[in-house]
Amino acid sequence: MPWKLALNTFFYVYDHENELDIDTFKLLLSARQAAENAYAPYSNFFVGAAILLENGAIVKGSNQENAAYPSGLCAERTAIFAAGSNYPTQKILMVAITAKRKNESLFLAANPCGACRQVLSEYENKQNQPIKVIMEAGNGKVYTCDSVNMLLPLKFSSGNL
């Protein structure tokens, strides 16, 4: 007989960015700065990510598109791979993600795609410590969750191999 599996996902919803603590707000601002550096000539959708490391360093990434679409890379992965390459022993405390359209000043809702969720999950497993996720939610709202596991509750990991 089948049984039910309940998965609980909890997000904190902030009605305005000024409700965030100072470190979270600074990281969100860094993600917004990173979005300005996106190379998005095809989608005109500029995504920025910023990662806070345990040593206080902030590593930024932005989406990088390519005419051969599969060859591009999302902002979250450019940031996390840069952090892993340049700071291999530093744990990731938080990641902030935001997006905007070309020639617009309003930042939009930004949630990691499935591939980015999987990569973030790998780093969370690697460091054996949760990574807080901050996501611009549009209209001045911000969503946060305490772990990538909240975004990917039935994740694939080394235990599945």
Side-chain angles (χ1 to χ4, degrees):
M1 173 161 200
W3 51 279
K4 292 181 182 179
L5 172 64
L7 300 172
N8 295 315
T9 301
F10 298 98
F11 293 91
Y12 300 96
V13 179
Y14 297 88
D15 288 324
H16 196 274
E17 63 195 25
N18 65 7
E19 297 174 2
L20 300 170
D21 66 76
I22 191 69
D23 290 333
T24 303
F25 181 67
K26 284 181 182 178
L27 198 63
L28 182 61
L29 290 179
S30 292
R32 289 177 180 171
Q33 291 168 349
E36 300 293 342
N37 295 327
Y39 177 67
Y42 307 105
S43 70
N44 290 314
F45 191 68
F46 291 65
V47 182
I51 292 174
L52 176 64
L53 302 175
E54 67 182 343
N55 67 357
I58 293 176
V59 179
K60 298 178 193 176
S62 59
N63 59 316
Q64 302 295 310
E65 295 180 350
N66 191 287
Y69 288 148
S71 299
L73 200 59
C74 299
E76 298 91 315
R77 285 183 279 159
T78 62
I80 202 160
F81 294 154
S85 294
N86 293 296
Y87 301 93
T89 62
Q90 291 296 305
K91 290 186 177 182
I92 298 168
L93 302 180
M94 294 190 270
V95 59
I97 306 140
T98 190
K100 62 181 262 183
R101 291 184 186 95
K102 183 178 182 178
N103 299 324
E104 292 185 11
S105 59
L106 180 66
F107 284 88
L108 309 167
N111 303 304
C113 72
C116 289
R117 291 174 193 220
Q118 183 63 46
V119 169
L120 288 165
S121 174
E122 181 75 17
Y123 275 74
E124 190 172 82
N125 287 346
K126 175 184 169 188
Q127 68 185 28
N128 197 30
Q129 178 178 312
I131 298 171
K132 181 178 178 179
V133 182
I134 300 106
M135 298 165 286
E136 191 101 41
N139 298 322
K141 292 185 186 236
V142 177
Y143 297 158
T144 70
C145 60
D146 293 333
S147 170
V148 176
N149 282 335
M150 296 292 147
L151 299 175
L152 196 63
L154 293 175
K155 65 185 177 191
F156 181 87
S157 70
S158 61
N160 298 102
L161 298 175

